[in-house]
Amino acid sequence: MQSFPANPDSLADPVTLVDGQGTCWVLHRKRLDLRVVRRLVKDAATPVVWGDMGGVSPRPVAEAERSTFWALIKDEYKGPGGTWSGRYLAHEFRAGPGRRMLYVEDHC
């Protein structure tokens, strides 16, 4: 999976991410509401990507990691519905109709 020069939240549109299978994902919505993040984390059909190192180093989150992942971010989410002093932000990427990906940035 490609890395970003900066976190997706601070990049100018269009922001694209090519995954390990060659799928090109385009940033659709920035700073998702925490309720949307929870729904997408729990949706097995939605790929989840962890943007480590300030959001620039993405890696897929395995299905087995999702419940632990949600527990990690839910109380430290700094987007809408969360706490503004948190460290995580989430964005929605899309690849064609009906294909969504959740990207969570870690602002350490």
Side-chain angles (χ1 to χ4, degrees), residues 12-90:
D13 291 336
V15 177
T16 59
L17 174 66
V18 178
D19 67 17
Q21 290 75 41
T23 303
C24 182
W25 297 88
V26 179
L27 182 59
H28 179 69
R29 285 191 298 170
K30 293 182 179 182
R31 298 178 175 247
L32 297 174
D33 186 277
L34 184 59
R35 294 169 294 188
V36 174
V37 175
R38 180 183 64 222
R39 186 174 70 243
L40 294 175
V41 167
K42 293 177 185 253
D43 179 8
T46 302
V48 177
V49 174
W50 176 248
D52 201 7
M53 298 175 53
V56 300
S57 182
R59 73 162 180 84
V61 174
E63 185 66 35
E65 294 178 278
R66 285 185 184 233
S67 62
T68 304
F69 184 73
W70 172 246
L72 174 70
I73 65 173
K74 69 178 182 160
D75 293 327
E76 289 292 324
Y77 189 69
K78 79 183 218 179
T83 174
W84 294 104
S85 62
R87 66 184 273 178
Y88 307 110
L89 270 179

